[in-house]
Amino acid sequence: MASRVLSSFLAAQHRELDQLMEGADNACGTPQGAAVFARFREAMEHHLEIEERVLFPEFARRTGPGGPLVVMRQEHDAIRGLLSAHQSGGDAACRALFDTMTVLVSQHHLKEENVLYPMSDTLLAGCAEDLLAAMREAPAIHG
């Protein structure tokens, strides 16, 4: 049985992101809403970046550029689009954005946790510890 080093680390990030997203949703329309959203956005961008810069290239070396990576990249782009669409405007617009974001991110996380991460644990078992170290050392995104 393959080690679950990669899936455990990345799924734990998903749980943290879910909490940050819920907090940002709950802060819609409040004075601290923009700051709470900024923390969520930074954490989400960092997670997407480590997948794209560390996990995906190594996965693609083993499987080719197609397969689940095509869908994952498309969904990452869609998530970034929603993050960019956030405005510090009204409560109703903010809540509508988070309704969409919650569905998209939840479905995306399920696909990763049920398909991509288990495949990664198997295919990348020989370099999992190195990949994990690279993910942990990746600088946070600011901006």
Side-chain angles (χ1 to χ4, degrees):
M1 177 178 267
S3 167
R4 293 184 30 92
V5 168
L6 298 172
S7 59
S8 294
F9 175 76
L10 293 165
Q13 282 195 340
H14 284 176
R15 301 297 78 78
E16 293 169 17
L17 289 167
D18 291 345
Q19 290 177 344
L20 290 170
M21 184 168 55
E22 183 178 349
D25 184 8
N26 290 337
C28 281
T30 68
Q32 66 273 21
V36 175
F37 179 80
R39 282 192 296 278
F40 163 64
R41 181 180 185 159
E42 184 174 321
M44 179 61 79
E45 286 284 358
H46 184 254
H47 177 76
L48 299 176
E49 285 290 322
I50 65 171
E51 286 182 341
E52 292 170 357
R53 292 187 182 182
V54 178
L55 181 66
F56 290 6
E58 200 60 40
F59 188 95
R61 278 192 260 292
R62 307 284 195 300
T63 64
L69 294 183
V70 172
V71 173
M72 296 300 105
R73 285 187 175 104
Q74 290 170 344
E75 291 180 358
H76 283 193
D77 290 345
I79 292 167
R80 284 190 177 102
L82 289 174
L83 291 171
S84 295
H86 181 266
Q87 303 293 323
S88 56
D91 184 51
C94 181
R95 295 212 183 275
L97 176 108
F98 273 101
D99 287 347
T100 303
M101 177 92 66
T102 299
V103 170
L104 176 61
V105 169
S106 296
Q107 291 174 351
H108 178 72
H109 286 178
L110 281 173
K111 290 174 195 167
E112 286 184 331
E113 291 176 23
N114 291 318
V115 178
L116 182 68
Y117 296 167
M119 287 177 71
S120 297
D121 285 331
T122 300
L123 291 170
L124 306 175
C127 61
E129 292 295 336
D130 291 338
L131 293 174
L132 182 61
M135 288 181 205
R136 286 187 169 139
E137 293 168 6
I141 310 302
H142 296 286

